[in-house]
Amino acid sequence: MKLLVTGGAGYVGSVCAARLVEEGHEVVVVDDLSTGHADAVPEGATFVQADLADAADDLLADGVEGVLHFAAKSLVGESMTDPAKYWDGNVVTSLRLLAAVHRHGVPRLVFSSTAATYGEPEQVPIPESAPTRPTNTYGATKLAIDHAITSYADAHGLAAVSLRYFNVAGAHDRFGERHATETHLIPLVLQVASGLRAQVSIYGDDWPTEDGTCVRDYIHVTDLADAHLLALRHATAGLHRIYNLGNGTGFSVKEVIDACRRVTGHAIPAELAPRRAGDPATLVAAADRARTELGWKPERPDLDTIVADAWRFTQSRLGG
Ligand code: UDP
């Protein structure tokens, strides 16, 4: 298929673009490089550096059969202090993209949604039927886009799938996580193990969880990418389907730091810090729907495997 991958120079987008190229698809990546890296676009994909909202019309004019939409602002903390960046960068841009998708009759769309759409869950693991009450602006903007996509599927027959990621980690081949300003737990902990950072902060130990630190469901980026390939194949005209992607097991911040200690052999000093605004205590996925309807089966659910792949990537970046 001829596919447009928005945000394909970013972490998840580049891994998905690589998997799509591996599967023989014709891939065009559009990315403004505000957070992505040109050298993360896989060989075999065409790269267009542009602002998506401006370029969508031109990019879709040429018989594109599907869009995988990753381009987004995605930092929870920043979304609380700079909401305009998130409402404009995520919602306005996505509305422009959706309008262009409709104008050019693009039949299918796979959207990068998030567990942050649920907010503090009433029920854990969280099913897709759970109420969506985001506790941060990032989640609210992704939820708004999900609603818009539903309208386009209902009104115009778009075949749409939203994939609600839990905590993505690990690396695929030479593609991994490298943000100029890193805020995610596993890469930060691995920076300590690499000697780039003296210690890691634990954002609160008085949460209502077993050891008092926040619990998350970590999913390997390759497993996540594979779900996008399945979603593309199973997307059905006129339906907007929503799937959670996670392993169904939660690990606390302390458990993640311990896994990093095991994998790297480094002591990794940690200090207690205040809670981070917008964080829910626990996010764990019920991903049965993706398993039964898409036939998705995560192959790398083990936390140490996820951390080991992230560590290999971190070391290769430092070496090269
Ligand atoms: N976290 C932490 N210290 C850090 C970074 C993150 O304690 O330096 C915690 C954060 O509060 C959250 C969990 O680790 O509970 C995962 O955070 P991350 O930013 O990786 O992903 P998020 O769950 O926000 O998408």
Short mmCIF file of all heavy atoms in Angstrom, two decimals, residues 76 167 183-185 188 200-203 214 216 218 253 276 279, ligand 1:
data_model
loop_
_atom_site.label_atom_id
_atom_site.label_comp_id
_atom_site.label_asym_id
_atom_site.label_seq_id
_atom_site.Cartn_x
_atom_site.Cartn_y
_atom_site.Cartn_z
N VAL A 76 3.58 14.79 29.00
CA VAL A 76 2.51 15.07 29.97
C VAL A 76 2.80 16.35 30.75
O VAL A 76 1.95 17.23 30.86
CB VAL A 76 2.35 13.86 30.92
CG1 VAL A 76 1.48 14.22 32.11
CG2 VAL A 76 1.76 12.68 30.17
N ASN A 167 2.79 2.35 28.18
CA ASN A 167 4.13 2.98 28.20
C ASN A 167 5.08 2.27 27.24
O ASN A 167 5.54 1.17 27.52
CB ASN A 167 4.67 3.00 29.62
CG ASN A 167 3.97 4.06 30.44
OD1 ASN A 167 2.76 3.98 30.63
ND2 ASN A 167 4.70 5.06 30.87
N THR A 183 12.10 12.95 29.23
CA THR A 183 11.28 12.96 30.45
C THR A 183 10.82 11.56 30.81
O THR A 183 10.24 11.36 31.86
CB THR A 183 10.01 13.82 30.26
OG1 THR A 183 9.20 13.20 29.26
CG2 THR A 183 10.33 15.24 29.85
N HIS A 184 11.04 10.59 29.92
CA HIS A 184 10.50 9.24 30.16
C HIS A 184 11.41 8.43 31.08
O HIS A 184 12.62 8.56 31.04
CB HIS A 184 10.27 8.52 28.83
CG HIS A 184 9.13 9.13 28.06
ND1 HIS A 184 9.28 9.64 26.80
CD2 HIS A 184 7.85 9.34 28.41
CE1 HIS A 184 8.12 10.13 26.40
NE2 HIS A 184 7.24 9.97 27.36
N LEU A 185 10.76 7.61 31.87
CA LEU A 185 11.46 6.94 32.96
C LEU A 185 12.63 6.06 32.48
O LEU A 185 13.76 6.24 32.96
CB LEU A 185 10.46 6.11 33.78
CG LEU A 185 11.05 5.36 34.96
CD1 LEU A 185 11.65 6.32 35.97
CD2 LEU A 185 10.00 4.49 35.64
N LEU A 188 15.67 7.82 31.04
CA LEU A 188 16.35 8.61 32.07
C LEU A 188 17.17 7.72 32.99
O LEU A 188 18.31 8.05 33.34
CB LEU A 188 15.32 9.40 32.90
CG LEU A 188 14.77 10.66 32.23
CD1 LEU A 188 13.65 11.26 33.08
CD2 LEU A 188 15.89 11.70 32.04
N VAL A 200 18.47 9.34 39.37
CA VAL A 200 17.12 9.47 38.82
C VAL A 200 16.19 9.91 39.95
O VAL A 200 16.40 9.56 41.11
CB VAL A 200 16.66 8.16 38.16
CG1 VAL A 200 16.51 7.03 39.18
CG2 VAL A 200 15.36 8.36 37.39
N SER A 201 15.18 10.73 39.58
CA SER A 201 14.19 11.16 40.57
C SER A 201 13.00 10.21 40.53
O SER A 201 12.55 9.81 39.45
CB SER A 201 13.69 12.56 40.23
OG SER A 201 14.76 13.47 40.26
N ILE A 202 12.48 9.90 41.71
CA ILE A 202 11.24 9.13 41.80
C ILE A 202 10.14 10.12 42.14
O ILE A 202 10.16 10.74 43.21
CB ILE A 202 11.35 8.03 42.89
CG1 ILE A 202 12.43 7.03 42.50
CG2 ILE A 202 10.00 7.35 43.12
CD1 ILE A 202 12.71 5.97 43.57
N TYR A 203 9.19 10.29 41.22
CA TYR A 203 8.15 11.31 41.40
C TYR A 203 7.05 10.83 42.36
O TYR A 203 5.97 10.46 41.94
CB TYR A 203 7.55 11.71 40.06
CG TYR A 203 8.51 12.39 39.10
CD1 TYR A 203 8.37 12.26 37.73
CD2 TYR A 203 9.56 13.18 39.58
CE1 TYR A 203 9.24 12.89 36.85
CE2 TYR A 203 10.44 13.80 38.71
CZ TYR A 203 10.27 13.66 37.35
OH TYR A 203 11.14 14.27 36.49
N CYS A 214 4.34 5.13 41.23
CA CYS A 214 3.35 4.96 40.15
C CYS A 214 3.59 3.66 39.38
O CYS A 214 4.73 3.27 39.14
CB CYS A 214 3.44 6.11 39.16
SG CYS A 214 2.72 7.62 39.79
N ARG A 216 2.96 1.46 35.89
CA ARG A 216 2.69 1.58 34.45
C ARG A 216 2.86 0.23 33.77
O ARG A 216 3.56 -0.65 34.26
CB ARG A 216 3.67 2.58 33.79
CG ARG A 216 3.53 4.01 34.28
CD ARG A 216 2.26 4.67 33.76
NE ARG A 216 2.14 6.06 34.17
CZ ARG A 216 1.60 6.47 35.31
NH1 ARG A 216 1.15 5.59 36.19
NH2 ARG A 216 1.50 7.75 35.59
N TYR A 218 4.46 -1.41 30.64
CA TYR A 218 5.50 -1.13 29.63
C TYR A 218 5.39 -2.11 28.48
O TYR A 218 5.32 -3.31 28.68
CB TYR A 218 6.88 -1.17 30.28
CG TYR A 218 7.04 -0.04 31.28
CD1 TYR A 218 6.62 -0.20 32.61
CD2 TYR A 218 7.51 1.21 30.89
CE1 TYR A 218 6.69 0.86 33.51
CE2 TYR A 218 7.59 2.27 31.79
CZ TYR A 218 7.18 2.09 33.09
OH TYR A 218 7.24 3.13 33.98
N VAL A 253 7.57 2.39 39.55
CA VAL A 253 8.80 3.12 39.23
C VAL A 253 10.00 2.43 39.88
O VAL A 253 11.04 2.23 39.26
CB VAL A 253 8.68 4.59 39.69
CG1 VAL A 253 10.01 5.32 39.55
CG2 VAL A 253 7.59 5.32 38.90
N ARG A 276 4.62 14.46 40.07
CA ARG A 276 4.57 15.25 38.84
C ARG A 276 3.10 15.53 38.50
O ARG A 276 2.28 14.61 38.51
CB ARG A 276 5.23 14.45 37.71
CG ARG A 276 5.31 15.17 36.40
CD ARG A 276 6.13 14.40 35.37
NE ARG A 276 5.48 13.16 34.96
CZ ARG A 276 5.99 12.33 34.05
NH1 ARG A 276 7.14 12.58 33.48
NH2 ARG A 276 5.35 11.23 33.73
N ASP A 279 0.00 13.11 36.65
CA ASP A 279 0.26 11.67 36.66
C ASP A 279 -0.89 10.90 37.33
O ASP A 279 -1.21 11.17 38.49
CB ASP A 279 1.54 11.36 37.46
CG ASP A 279 2.78 11.33 36.60
OD1 ASP A 279 2.64 11.27 35.36
OD2 ASP A 279 3.88 11.37 37.16
N1 UDP B 1 8.85 9.00 36.50
C1 UDP B 1 9.69 9.17 37.59
N2 UDP B 1 10.88 9.80 37.40
C2 UDP B 1 11.28 10.26 36.18
C3 UDP B 1 10.42 10.07 35.07
C4 UDP B 1 9.21 9.44 35.27
O1 UDP B 1 9.37 8.77 38.72
O2 UDP B 1 12.37 10.84 36.09
C5 UDP B 1 7.57 8.31 36.69
C6 UDP B 1 6.36 9.11 36.24
O3 UDP B 1 5.88 9.91 37.30
C7 UDP B 1 5.38 8.00 35.86
C8 UDP B 1 6.29 6.88 35.37
O4 UDP B 1 7.58 7.17 35.88
O5 UDP B 1 4.69 7.56 36.98
C9 UDP B 1 6.35 6.79 33.88
O6 UDP B 1 6.60 8.08 33.39
P1 UDP B 1 6.94 8.36 31.87
O7 UDP B 1 7.19 9.83 31.73
O8 UDP B 1 8.01 7.43 31.41
O9 UDP B 1 5.62 7.93 31.10
P2 UDP B 1 4.08 8.40 31.27
O10 UDP B 1 3.43 7.35 32.14
O11 UDP B 1 4.04 9.76 31.85
O12 UDP B 1 3.54 8.34 29.88
#
